[in-house]
Amino acid sequence: MHSRPLPTTPRLIATDLDGTLLRDDKSVSDRTIAALAAAEEAGIEVFFVTGRPARWMDVVSDHVHGHGLAICANGAAVVDLHAGGKLLEVRALERETALEVVRTLRDAAPGTSFAVETTTGIHYEPDYPPFHLDPGATVAAAEKLLHEEEPGTSAPVIKLLAHHPELTPDGFLTLARTTAGRLASFTRSSPSALIEISGLGVSKASTLALCCAERGISSDEVVAFGDMPNDVEMLSWAGTSYAMGNAHPDVIAAASGRTVANNEDGVAVVIEQILAGRA
């Protein structure tokens, strides 16, 4: 399923997790574990690049080698998984900007409900659907959740989430980008009409580019994998990129190649081919 030659000497593999590296049951297969270890053994760094917050990284924390770093929350956080998910860098969404996004989307799409992901946890509105609700969360209107008594005193916001009960997922994303794209970055990775909102210019791609620049790694030396719209920028940026067999059409269009689906270990298939080519 490949549409261009594999790079002979990639220095870094960047992979999404859900729908990409992970199987649908959220497990990492033995074949994938072995492929990741073999890549690191061959001197290729592996970065997990995900929309997940740091607190949901336990699914892969046992499979991090070397540097131990992961990019979380669609680029809003760089974490050290060797140190229990310690935050090393945060690219926050300013609360005033988030409030303006809330107002804009409420006007453009009545019925939208919101959740606020901060560096310390998630908080949400009463109507927000129960995806992964935290028993320690505050439940209140988004305007209250985003309000600060003293500016700069609350935990940084790393992601604003917006859900609509009736719009299509892609339709809601297009509407949000059209009406509020000047304020923030909008993407999605859920099968429902749930959009993920980060600071302007914050994406998996832009944070990965910063991490690579620190290491003297060019985009041409990166192989990336993904399956959903929040992976599009990263796949476009990387010199070689693969859409999973189960990928969204926009991802297939952005990637330079395709591999098999996540349940068929599509990431491992390509890593094995890269390592065989080096041998």
Side-chain angles (χ1 to χ4, degrees), residues 17 21-22 26 28 36 48 52 56-65 70 81:
L17 294 181
L21 190 80
L22 304 180
K26 306 305 180 188
V28 186
L36 294 174
F48 300 133
R52 288 177 175 239
W56 291 351
M57 292 299 287
D58 55 331
V59 290
V60 291
S61 54
D62 290 342
H63 312 305
V64 183
H65 305 266
L81 298 182

Side-chain angles (χ1 to χ4, degrees), residues 27-279:
S27 68
V28 186
S29 72
D30 289 344
R31 182 179 182 180
T32 297
I33 291 168
L36 294 174
E40 293 273 4
E41 183 73 20
I44 303 171
E45 292 194 62
V46 177
F47 263 77
F48 300 133
V49 188
T50 179
R52 288 177 175 239
R55 68 181 189 282
W56 291 351
M57 292 299 287
D58 55 331
V59 290
V60 291
S61 54
D62 290 342
H63 312 305
V64 183
H65 305 266
H67 56 78
L69 302 183
I71 295 170
C72 295
N74 291 328
V78 179
V79 307
D80 184 348
L81 298 182
H82 287 333
K86 178 184 177 184
L87 288 165
L88 301 181
E89 184 176 343
V90 175
R91 303 178 70 192
L93 173 64
E94 294 299 326
R95 286 173 180 258
E96 280 302 317
T97 303
L99 281 167
E100 192 171 350
V101 170
V102 168
R103 289 191 289 267
T104 302
L105 292 186
R106 285 205 200 283
D107 288 343
T112 301
S113 59
F114 296 91
V116 179
E117 179 80 49
T118 73
T119 53
T120 56
I122 192 167
H123 308 284
Y124 42 87
E125 294 192 311
D127 291 339
Y128 187 79
F131 294 112
H132 294 275
L133 299 188
D134 186 324
T138 302
V139 180
E143 289 82 355
K144 182 174 181 180
L145 296 175
L146 291 165
H147 178 72
E148 288 185 289
E149 297 300 329
E150 296 289 335
T153 58
S154 298
V157 174
I158 56 173
K159 194 160 52 163
L160 179 68
L161 298 148
H163 179 268
H164 199 277
E166 294 166 3
L167 293 173
T168 65
D170 287 332
F172 190 28
L173 178 57
T174 299
L175 176 67
R177 286 175 169 168
T178 302
T179 57
R182 63 191 166 79
L183 299 171
S185 296
F186 294 81
T187 192
R188 75 175 192 86
S189 60
S190 168
S192 64
L194 174 68
I195 53 178
E196 302 160 56
I197 304 153
S198 305
L200 201 61
V202 175
S203 69
K204 290 184 175 187
S206 61
T207 301
L208 178 62
L210 292 171
C211 290
C212 286
E214 289 170 359
R215 290 163 169 71
I217 296 173
S218 71
S219 61
D220 287 344
E221 297 172 303
V222 176
V223 180
F225 299 87
D227 73 306
M228 286 296 276
N230 65 330
D231 298 313
V232 165
E233 294 95 338
M234 177 173 75
L235 299 184
S236 299
W237 177 82
T240 306
S241 56
Y242 290 89
M244 306 306 291
N246 48 288
H248 185 282
D250 290 354
V251 176
I252 294 168
S256 60
R258 288 191 75 179
T259 183
V260 294
N262 62 316
N263 285 334
E264 300 170 70
D265 302 326
V267 174
V269 167
V270 175
I271 293 175
E272 288 163 4
Q273 291 177 345
I274 290 171
L275 297 177
R278 285 165 67 105

